[in-house]
């Protein structure tokens, strides 16, 4: 064959083989992927050998034997006292439960969770129980702190959200002050001065302050104060103020009035404000001061078409027309139109959360359980402590504590709820609500509600599961010798007292 023709034939053959996948090696297409392994749908083995052992008056160690699973174990969920929500998720077979109440039994179960793409959960383990250790006797002392600062008519102290470096003090004369949280502090700075519009005498004045939980990102804060309108009538104003300097101060010119409620008797104003764990703003409003007499009307505490004698709950994240709030959907009368700026309405007011109060001077939410605890100042006979629930009617003025009054209170349409605790005059004369304690200084107080009396300064504590109604006597508490206007709580759960008589601040510490 001609050499040139042979070369051309070879070249043609090479091209043909290349086009077919080349080289004479047959079909070289990619083989099919193996099928995926079957999904792991098998739950891990149940945790075994679960034990619970008290470590202190406030802690229990829970431990168990590790579970096994073909996909591995990603963690364990620990449940307390049969709850449906896990108390904690851990990766090791031990967990220490803290912040518990002394001399109290707790029960625990554990489930294992595997590491499968769709996790499988084991059945619950057998329960293990333990009782926290007996706490040493609670012996309280009051130690004066921040003695270098000068206060006047101070009645409450609080933190600015997300700021542990300073304290805020509210003074009845219309001033809000700030000072550094250092023992040797000697100066205060002005945060807000509305003394030009505050009526300050007797029980009247600047009564409450609450910063938005996202302050100062959200620039707003709310205050309650008494004001005299042109007609000479005393009103309780709830107003919104805002900061223009990153949270250092509140601008007095920024006021937006939310409510302006006439105080028919000029006292029993309430005025405490707090944001709840649900993000809503709660307001404690007294009965206005005329409900102690045997008048022919039912009394404001029982009249749900006005806002006096109530705990209110509003949503300040939006507005309703020109009003600077909305109504939470589960408020008891949420479907009704807003009540008026003056706190009255043609129907049951949708702002109401609970009612039947005389003067809810100080109250707080349990920082762990979220429950609202309240001290309601009595009239002439009894002081009471209430655990407040949505839609609850706490009895005034049908009852003062557990004592039925002779006053007209209409015909209540809901059950009258008894107080958790009460004390009779003259054991004390003006209850001051406090806090459920979650600090470290007093193991025997952890999980207990601490409160006091303004006139006699006795500091008491009760278990949060106290069955209504416990009668408190002076011997149940510690006589501080102070005239506490309110408690304050730091970020560690320790408690302070703002004392009116000495215009000083005290910290509760263990007695030596």
């Amino acid at each position: 064959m001609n050499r040139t023709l042979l070369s051309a034939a070879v070249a043609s053959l090479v091209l043909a083989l290349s086009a077919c996948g080349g080289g004479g090696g047959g079909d070289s297409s990619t083989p099919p992927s193996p099928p995926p392994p079957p999904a792991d749908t098998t739950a891990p083995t149940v945790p075994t050998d679960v034990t619970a052992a008290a470590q202190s008056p406030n802690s229990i160690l829970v431990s168990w034997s590790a579970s096994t699973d073909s996909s591995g174990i990603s963690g364990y969920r620990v449940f307390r006292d049969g709850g449906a929500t896990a108390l904690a998720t851990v990766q090791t077979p031990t967990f220490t439960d803290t912040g518990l109440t002394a001399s109290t039994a707790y029960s625990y179960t554990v489930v294992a969770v595997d590491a499968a793409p769709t996790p499988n959960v084991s059945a619950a383990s057998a329960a293990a129980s333990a009782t926290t250790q007996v706490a040493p006797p609670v012996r309280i002392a009051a130690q004066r702190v921040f003695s270098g600062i000068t206060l006047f008519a101070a009645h409450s102290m609080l933190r600015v959200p997300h700021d542990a470096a300073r304290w805020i003090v509210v003074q009845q004369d219309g001033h809000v002050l700030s000072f550094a949280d250092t023992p040797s502090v000697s100066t205060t700075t002005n945060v807000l001065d509305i003394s030009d519009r505050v009526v300050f005498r007797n029980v009247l004045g600047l009564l409450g302050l609450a910063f938005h939980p996202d302050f100062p990102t959200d620039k707003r804060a709310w205050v309650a104060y008494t004001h005299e309108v042109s007609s000479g009538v005393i009103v309780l104003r709830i107003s919104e103020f805002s900061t223009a300097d990153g949270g250092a101060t509140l601008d007095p010119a920024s006021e937006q009035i939310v409510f302006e409620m006439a105080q028919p008797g000029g006292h029993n104003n309430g005025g405490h404000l707090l944001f709840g764990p649900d993000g809503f703003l709660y307001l404690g409003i007294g009965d206005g001061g005329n409900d102690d007499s045997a008048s022919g009307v039912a009394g404001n505490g029982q009249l749900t078409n006005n806002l006096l004698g109530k705990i209110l709950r509003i949503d300040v994240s939006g507005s309703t027309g020109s009003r600077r709030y909305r109504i939470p959907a589960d408020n008891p009368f949420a479907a009704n139109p807003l009540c008026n700026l003056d706190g009255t309405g043609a129907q049951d007011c949708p702002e109401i959360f609970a009612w039947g109060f005389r003067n809810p001077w100080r109250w707080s939410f349990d920082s762990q359980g979220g429950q609202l605890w309240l001290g309601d100042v009595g009239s002439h006979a009894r002081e009471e402590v209430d655990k407040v629930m949505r839609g609850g009617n706490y009895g005034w003025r049908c009852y003062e504590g557990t004592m039925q009054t002779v006053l007209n209170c209409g015909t209540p349409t809901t059950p009258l709820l008894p107080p958790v605790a009460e004390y009779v005059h003259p054991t004390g004369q003006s209850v001051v609500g406090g806090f459920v304690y979650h600090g470290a200084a007093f193991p025997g107080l952890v999980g207990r509600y601490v409160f006091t009396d303004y006139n006699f300064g006795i500091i008491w504590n009760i278990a949060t599961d106290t069955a209504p109604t416990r009668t408190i006597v002076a011997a149940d508490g510690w006589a501080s010798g102070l005239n506490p206007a309110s408690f304050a709580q730091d970020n560690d759960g320790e408690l302070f007292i703002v004392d009116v008589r000495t215009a000083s601040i005290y910290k509760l510490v263990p007695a030596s």
Side-chain angles (χ1 to χ4, degrees), residues 168-347:
I168 301 294
V169 169
V170 181
Q171 298 192 157
Q172 195 177 342
D173 64 349
H175 294 87
V176 177
L177 306 179
S178 170
F179 64 88
D181 188 4
T182 56
S184 60
V185 62
S186 59
T187 59
T188 62
T189 58
N190 187 65
V191 175
L192 177 66
D193 179 359
I194 52 172
S195 56
D196 60 344
R197 64 204 82 170
V198 169
V199 173
F200 168 45
R201 60 176 180 264
N202 299 323
V203 296
L204 305 178
L206 176 56
L207 302 175
L209 165 67
F211 293 95
H212 192 280
D214 293 328
F215 188 87
T217 301
D218 188 307
K219 299 181 179 182
R220 299 173 296 168
W222 288 260
V223 304
Y225 68 93
T226 51
H227 175 72
E228 187 171 359
V229 296
S230 57
S231 60
V233 174
I234 299 297
V235 297
L236 176 68
R237 272 187 182 171
I238 309 297
S239 288
E240 174 191 309
F241 291 84
S242 59
T243 181
D245 55 11
T249 67
L250 296 170
D251 180 5
S254 67
E255 181 174 15
Q256 300 287 335
I257 298 173
V258 180
F259 296 108
E260 190 171 85
M261 294 171 269
Q263 303 293 284
H267 59 98
N268 292 359
N269 311 117
H272 193 43
L273 314 174
L274 281 176
F275 277 87
D278 54 13
F280 297 131
L281 178 60
Y282 289 70
L283 307 90
I285 310 298
D287 67 12
N290 69 334
D291 276 8
D292 293 342
S293 63
S295 60
V297 298
N300 290 316
Q302 292 300 316
L303 297 176
T304 48
N305 63 350
N306 78 50
L307 300 181
L308 299 179
K310 314 295 190 300
I311 296 295
L312 312 182
R313 180 175 70 157
I314 59 176
D315 179 1
V316 296
S317 68
S319 59
T320 306
S322 62
R323 306 294 292 279
R324 302 179 70 83
Y325 62 91
R326 300 182 296 201
I327 299 299
D330 61 344
N331 273 13
F333 311 115
N336 293 344
L338 300 189
C339 277
N340 301 317
L341 187 76
D342 67 0
T344 64
Q347 302 180 52

Side-chain angles (χ1 to χ4, degrees), residues 79 184 389 415:
F79 297 81
S184 60
M389 66 179 66

Side-chain angles (χ1 to χ4, degrees), residues 470-511:
R470 176 181 170 183
T471 299
I472 302 293
V473 298
D476 293 327
W478 170 66
S480 68
L482 304 174
N483 292 112
S486 66
F487 288 92
Q489 186 179 53
D490 69 12
N491 292 358
D492 296 323
E494 303 303 338
L495 298 182
F496 298 75
I497 285 175
V498 181
D499 180 57
V500 170
R501 180 173 55 83
T502 61
S504 303
I505 300 168
Y506 291 82
K507 185 176 183 179
L508 298 187
V509 298

Side-chain angles (χ1 to χ4, degrees), residues 61-89:
L61 173 65
V62 185
S63 57
W64 57 92
S65 295
S67 297
T68 59
D69 186 89
S70 60
S71 296
I73 300 296
S74 67
Y76 300 90
R77 297 172 187 166
V78 183
F79 297 81
R80 182 207 291 160
D81 293 339
T85 302
L87 176 67
T89 299

Side-chain angles (χ1 to χ4, degrees), residues 88-112:
T89 299
V90 296
Q91 279 67 54
T92 58
T94 61
F95 169 71
T96 300
D97 193 9
T98 60
L100 303 176
T101 302
S103 304
T104 302
Y106 296 91
S107 176
Y108 300 89
T109 56
V110 183
V111 301

